[in-house]
Amino acid sequence: STDLTSTVGYDSIIQHLNDGRKNCKEFEDFLKERAIIEEKYGKELINLSKKKPCGQTELNTLKRSLDAFKQQIDNVGQGHIQLAQTLREEAKKMEDFREKQKLHRKKIELIMEAIHKNRNLQYKKTMEVKQMCCCFLTYGLMLLTHTHVLFLKLAQSKSALEDSDRSYQQSVTTLEKIREEWQKEHIKACEFFETQECERINYFRNALWLHVNQLSQDCVQNDEKYEEIRKSLEMCSIEKDIDFFVNLRKTGSLAPAPVVYENYYNTQRNATPVRSPVPAAISR
């Protein structure tokens, strides 16, 4: 700004940096909330796999598939709990980065606040001396235009005017030194802030990239667990399970013999009972 005492540009930079810090905090809070959801979901999956019956009376190969299914669901739950912990760690890293930038920036801001205050005070003082010098000059000219004024007053006025002018010159010189120092520090501060902003954007971008990779990795790991279930199901044999059940529960290989009629009414006419045929073995 052409106004020496204006801080509008500096204030705009500080506001932008504060907004960036706020954005980092929002992403940090997002990770924390996601961690809560992942942990809750993981615990619910584990409780479901352990407490809820799921084909508990099945036998043989299908039973092994169901056992693998419940075990892998438990593993998926554990994976979500681990992901929740990872997200909390990433949120803590973002918080540490954010606080580190804040601490470093605070040092620069304190320097700039002090130099702004010194600059404004010197500018105010210079303007006051300038105004005083103008007043003395006007008063001296008035004295010169009135010949009836005493010579002593004219001499005093001239001396005061010279003192005021010297004071004004010194004040301007001091202000110029302060202006040069402020401009130098302002440029240094802007360069520092730009470096910080580059670091923040780079860190934020990488953090978001890492987060997406973590979610993708979690999906890959979950798919590997589900693949174990599919492999187990591929080993499930209907024929083997039926044979297993038959061998486990079988009660014999012969069917009951046919019922034979015996004539108890006329035993003499039917002295020789009719023999029943030998029952044949029944195949599966």
Side-chain angles (χ1 to χ4, degrees):
S1 174
T2 55
D3 181 3
L4 182 58
T5 60
S6 174
T7 58
V8 60
Y10 177 81
D11 294 340
S12 178
I13 293 174
I14 295 300
Q15 180 62 48
H16 179 72
L17 295 176
N18 289 336
D19 289 343
R21 184 169 178 270
K22 178 183 176 183
N23 293 336
C24 289
K25 181 64 167 60
E26 290 175 353
F27 182 64
E28 173 190 326
D29 292 340
F30 181 91
L31 292 178
K32 291 179 180 178
E33 289 294 325
R34 179 65 187 265
I36 293 174
I37 294 172
E38 291 291 341
E39 183 176 50
K40 181 179 180 181
Y41 180 55
K43 289 181 178 180
E44 291 292 338
L45 283 179
I46 292 173
N47 289 335
L48 178 65
S49 66
K50 290 183 177 180
K51 297 180 179 180
K52 189 69 175 177
C54 184
Q56 59 183 349
T57 60
E58 285 294 346
L59 303 172
N60 207 33
T61 61
L62 183 56
K63 176 177 175 56
R64 288 196 290 272
S65 294
L66 287 171
D67 290 342
F69 166 72
K70 296 191 70 175
Q71 180 60 52
Q72 295 305 327
I73 292 299
D74 184 278
N75 291 341
V76 170
Q78 295 290 351
H80 281 283
I81 292 176
Q82 181 58 46
L83 177 59
Q85 180 60 30
T86 300
L87 295 178
R88 290 192 179 96
E89 292 172 358
E90 293 304 318
K92 184 62 171 61
K93 290 178 182 178
M94 177 63 78
E95 180 183 5
D96 293 342
F97 172 79
R98 182 170 51 82
E99 291 301 317
K100 181 180 179 181
Q101 277 210 330
K102 177 185 176 182
L103 182 63
H104 289 172
R105 190 166 72 242
K106 189 64 178 178
K107 297 177 182 178
I108 303 299
E109 290 181 11
L110 290 174
I111 293 174
M112 293 303 296
E113 287 175 7
I115 203 166
H116 284 163
K117 182 178 180 181
N118 187 32
R119 179 198 63 184
N120 292 347
L121 287 174
Q122 184 61 36
Y123 180 80
K124 182 180 179 182
K125 178 181 177 181
T126 301
M127 293 301 102
E128 289 174 351
V129 173
K130 178 182 179 181
Q131 183 65 29
M132 186 181 298
C133 184
C134 290
C135 290
F136 274 122
L137 180 60
T138 302
Y139 181 64
L141 291 174
M142 289 175 60
L143 290 177
L144 289 175
T145 58
H146 295 80
T147 57
H148 63 278
V149 178
L150 296 175
F151 179 76
L152 179 60
K153 288 187 176 181
L154 180 60
Q156 290 176 346
S157 177
K158 182 180 180 182
S159 177
L161 181 60
E162 291 174 350
D163 290 343
S164 178
D165 185 65
R166 282 193 299 270
S167 178
Y168 174 50
Q169 289 181 19
Q170 291 174 357
S171 184
V172 169
T173 300
T174 303
L175 178 59
E176 179 58 19
K177 290 181 179 179
I178 292 175
R179 188 197 67 80
E180 291 177 353
E181 181 184 2
W182 158 76
Q183 183 169 305
K184 180 181 178 182
E185 291 298 327
H186 181 81
I187 292 173
K188 287 171 59 178
C190 287
E191 290 173 347
F192 175 81
F193 293 151
E194 182 178 356
T195 299
Q196 269 209 332
E197 182 65 358
C198 290
E199 291 177 352
R200 186 192 70 82
I201 294 174
N202 183 62
Y203 190 90
F204 202 157
R205 181 192 62 179
N206 290 342
L208 188 57
W209 190 294
L210 178 62
H211 176 59
V212 173
N213 283 348
Q214 289 167 346
L215 297 180
S216 295
Q217 182 63 28
D218 182 62
C219 291
V220 171
Q221 292 174 349
N222 285 346
D223 189 65
E224 291 175 353
K225 297 178 180 70
Y226 299 142
E227 180 62 22
E228 292 299 319
I229 299 173
R230 288 190 286 266
K231 289 179 180 179
S232 178
L233 289 173
E234 288 176 351
M235 300 300 294
C236 178
S237 169
I238 299 174
E239 185 77 17
K240 289 181 179 179
D241 285 4
I242 296 297
D243 287 342
F244 182 86
F245 170 75
V246 170
N247 292 328
L248 180 67
R249 303 293 185 180
K250 66 183 179 181
T251 56
S253 59
L254 297 178
V259 177
V260 178
Y261 169 74
E262 295 184 25
N263 188 343
Y264 295 99
Y265 176 73
N266 189 350
T267 58
Q268 293 180 352
R269 293 178 58 184
N270 298 282
T272 303
V274 178
R275 292 186 178 181
S276 61
V278 178
I282 299 175
S283 65
R284 202 173 89 40

